[in-house]
Amino acid sequence: MGEPDWAGVARSLLKVLAVTAALLLAGEALDRALWLFGDDRRMVEVYGTAARVANPHERLSNGYGGSGGLLATAHRMWGEPRLAGPGGGERDHEIVLDVFGNLRAPSLGGPTGGVADALAMGHAPADQVKKVIDGLPQTLVAVAVVEFETPLTTERLVAFNAEHRICGGADVSYVYDVPFADDSSDPSSYNAIVWNRGMVLDYWEKVDHECAAEPRAALAEFRDWVGLLDEDDDLSAFGLYYGPLKQAAEHNEVHGLLVDRWRLADLRKLLDAPEVRTVHLADVAFDVSPGENEDG
């Protein structure tokens, strides 16, 4: 009886392993395809909302579906820069997800410009900011980040809003986490997590809010959205990751407020509040729409 043909056995084993791997990949691709083309709503809710969370420097629409090709689906959004004045111009964005879970959203990777600098919450001493604001016409409006001395829980923020007559709505967003960079880790950086009440609603739906108590509803909506996610949702194209999102939802802490087109006079008042560390101005302009900031 001769020696076994070990080379033949090895070749046969490799063929079996190759076929098994191919079947597993095919099954995974099929599952992804069924999810992808059978649940466009989830595509919008997960990736469309993630784009809005990670890109507060733009006022983004909820968008509409598109064609990403034979093995992909697309979601198109349009937005305008979040500036204090007019003239930013609209532009289209496209999010494309293929059947293997690869995501392309090259123009929606995270905040840029003045809003990005404001969210970084760098050194901006309150006394210095007071001098800057006092030297400008108080009727100017600004896009800014109000940074708290320490993060506020929802209930403390409700009390803060009531005391300072902050009514929430489209011009107030909640910074649930600040940007983080660490070159020694992978991923090396995380975007800020910025949430606005009604973030997951279709753009044509009216967004009601509860004035000073709005942070309660905002946190509930944020937690509902995080509950839609799972660890297989790759949000790295937006600088977002499942772990930090889940932690932010659980911790119930607001590091600051991103306010949109508020009067400088109202921001100046907040600088005297003990809860406020400072205000980071992202953009300032003359108010061309009188009356729109009465609740700010």
Side-chain angles (χ1 to χ4, degrees):
M1 190 172 180
E3 290 290 327
D5 183 3
W6 294 112
V9 171
R11 285 194 296 271
S12 298
L13 182 59
L14 287 174
K15 288 179 181 179
V16 170
L17 291 175
V19 170
T20 301
L23 289 174
L24 288 174
L25 287 174
E28 183 178 340
L30 179 60
D31 287 343
R32 174 64 66 168
L34 290 174
W35 172 87
L36 185 64
F37 298 109
D39 193 359
D40 286 343
R41 180 68 179 178
R42 191 174 189 278
M43 163 75 169
V44 173
E45 288 179 340
V46 171
Y47 295 101
T49 302
R52 298 179 73 194
V53 170
N55 291 272
H57 66 293
E58 288 201 51
R59 301 182 187 95
L60 286 168
S61 72
N62 280 84
Y64 54 94
S67 175
L70 182 61
L71 297 177
T73 190
H75 180 62
R76 300 187 68 85
M77 310 178 78
W78 64 91
E80 63 175 5
R82 193 180 298 277
L83 301 175
E90 287 191 348
R91 62 174 180 154
D92 286 339
H93 302 279
E94 186 174 60
I95 302 170
V96 180
L97 182 67
D98 68 24
V99 294
F100 301 104
N102 300 312
L103 188 76
R104 299 197 310 274
S107 59
L108 289 169
T112 60
V115 170
D117 294 338
L119 287 170
M121 298 185 185
H123 298 290
D127 289 343
Q128 180 179 328
V129 177
K130 287 178 183 179
K131 290 179 182 179
V132 170
I133 292 179
D134 289 343
L136 296 171
Q138 298 300 287
T139 53
L140 290 177
V141 293
V143 174
V145 171
V146 179
E147 180 183 355
F148 295 132
E149 189 67 45
T150 60
L152 300 184
T153 64
T154 293
E155 293 309 310
R156 288 181 63 201
L157 182 55
V158 169
F160 177 83
N161 285 359
E163 180 180 356
H164 297 283
R165 300 178 62 188
I166 297 174
C167 205
D171 61 352
V172 178
S173 299
Y174 306 96
V175 183
Y176 287 131
D177 203 3
V178 297
F180 174 77
D182 180 3
D183 293 337
S184 66
S185 66
D186 184 19
S188 62
S189 62
Y190 304 84
N191 276 333
I193 298 173
V194 183
W195 187 266
N196 179 270
R197 171 82 197 280
M199 187 80 82
V200 297
L201 296 180
D202 292 327
Y203 75 95
W204 58 83
E205 293 186 51
K206 185 179 186 296
V207 179
D208 295 321
H209 58 87
E210 303 174 357
C211 209
E214 183 194 78
R216 294 183 187 131
L219 178 64
E221 286 184 350
F222 177 59
R223 285 176 168 171
D224 285 347
W225 179 70
V226 172
L228 292 174
L229 307 178
D230 58 53
E231 295 187 45
D232 293 329
D233 293 318
D234 184 6
L235 305 179
S236 59
F238 307 114
L240 298 175
Y241 303 90
Y242 179 77
L245 286 166
K246 189 171 182 291
Q247 286 182 355
E250 292 172 348
H251 286 176
N252 181 24
E253 292 182 342
V254 177
H255 296 257
L257 304 176
L258 172 63
V259 298
D260 194 358
R261 291 173 173 165
W262 271 28
R263 286 186 301 255
L264 286 185
D266 296 317
L267 288 168
R268 176 64 176 82
K269 292 175 185 175
L270 290 184
L271 280 166
D272 293 324
E275 298 90 345
V276 174
R277 173 176 294 170
T278 190
V279 169
H280 304 272
L281 298 176
D283 191 44
V284 178
F286 285 101
D287 185 2
V288 296
S289 302
E292 288 192 356
N293 297 290
E294 292 303 320
D295 292 327

